[in-house]
Amino acid sequence: MLVTSKELFKVSREKGFAIPAPNFIDAQSMKDYVTVAEELNLPVILALAEVHLEFISLEEAAYFGKFYAENAKVPVVLHLDHGMTPSIIKKAIDVGFTSVMIDASQDSFETNVKKTKEIIDYAHPKGVVVEAEIGHVGSGVNYENHEETDSRYTTVEDAIQFVKETQVDSLAVSIGTAHGMYKGVPEINFDRLHEIAEAVDTPLVLHGGSSSGDSNLNRCGLEGISKINIFSDLVNAAQNGINREQPENYLDLKHVVSTNMKNCLRHYYEVFCTDRINE
């Protein structure tokens, strides 16, 4: 069933678990993620990043997303991830996405508020929920292909003020993760997570989940994060499967990719304790 994340996040906060938001880049990866969710009887947030629109259009994503969701017995959220262009975000809303992210985290606080409110004013009358980011989850320290980070920790004061001024539905926070793959395991500022979770009622989101460490991510789900984004680990699982099994033809290759991505997602459902939703 196609839903927004609103009710799912309420339960997540109450019971202490996170819902995986695997990024898809084509219809096959969407289908694979929904297949795993159905198998486990758990919700899934299908996320498409704006930067991946070169692989699949908003219209295609909406068509396939609605098809898979409407034929699934579990809740499926269709989410635009890291939307930076207002016209694209609004188009995603118009074609049927149930959740969108406006990422103005690299702008000033005031501009971030202004851009977020613009999207909220467009989305809410259409029944679509909005995620925004305060602080900035960048890429950097201990990160494979960067020497320094542009991440900025989310402050409690900014989180409180941002939620107050925007009434955003969910809030992505920066507490030590970065996008992509690390050389080591990042240190998560759990004290900051606890402070923000206690200060605002808005569900919290973690970006940069890949290779952040199972123990870290498990704690994040238990201690205040409602959604964790995963992408790099999924595509790396696919590539590692290809390298290991060396498929001899295209059809075998597709099977290897699907199998390994699904196994990776199953793993994160366990790490995030998502099955607590059924308790």
Side-chain angles (χ1 to χ4, degrees), residues 8 35 42 51 80 111 119 123 128 131 133 179 183 207 216 232 238:
L8 295 175
T35 297
L42 296 172
V51 294
L80 179 69
T111 301
I119 297 302
V128 175
E131 172 189 330
E133 183 173 317
H179 293 105
K183 289 181 179 177
H207 287 259
N216 279 337
S232 295

Side-chain angles (χ1 to χ4, degrees), residues 1-64:
M1 66 196 84
L2 187 63
V3 301
T4 72
S5 55
K6 195 165 188 176
E7 295 303 317
L8 295 175
F9 287 169
K10 283 183 181 178
V11 181
S12 171
R13 284 176 64 88
E14 291 169 3
K15 295 188 175 183
F17 65 86
I19 301 168
N23 281 95
F24 65 87
I25 58 170
D26 56 20
Q28 183 64 55
S29 50
M30 297 175 79
K31 182 179 181 179
D32 288 342
Y33 301 156
V34 174
T35 297
V36 172
E38 285 266 85
E39 170 194 315
L40 300 177
N41 191 32
L42 296 172
V44 65
I45 299 171
L46 299 176
L48 173 65
E50 181 177 321
V51 294
H52 291 150
L53 289 176
E54 63 180 301
F55 301 113
I56 186 170
S57 69
L58 289 173
E59 292 88 349
E60 290 173 300
Y63 177 84
F64 286 109

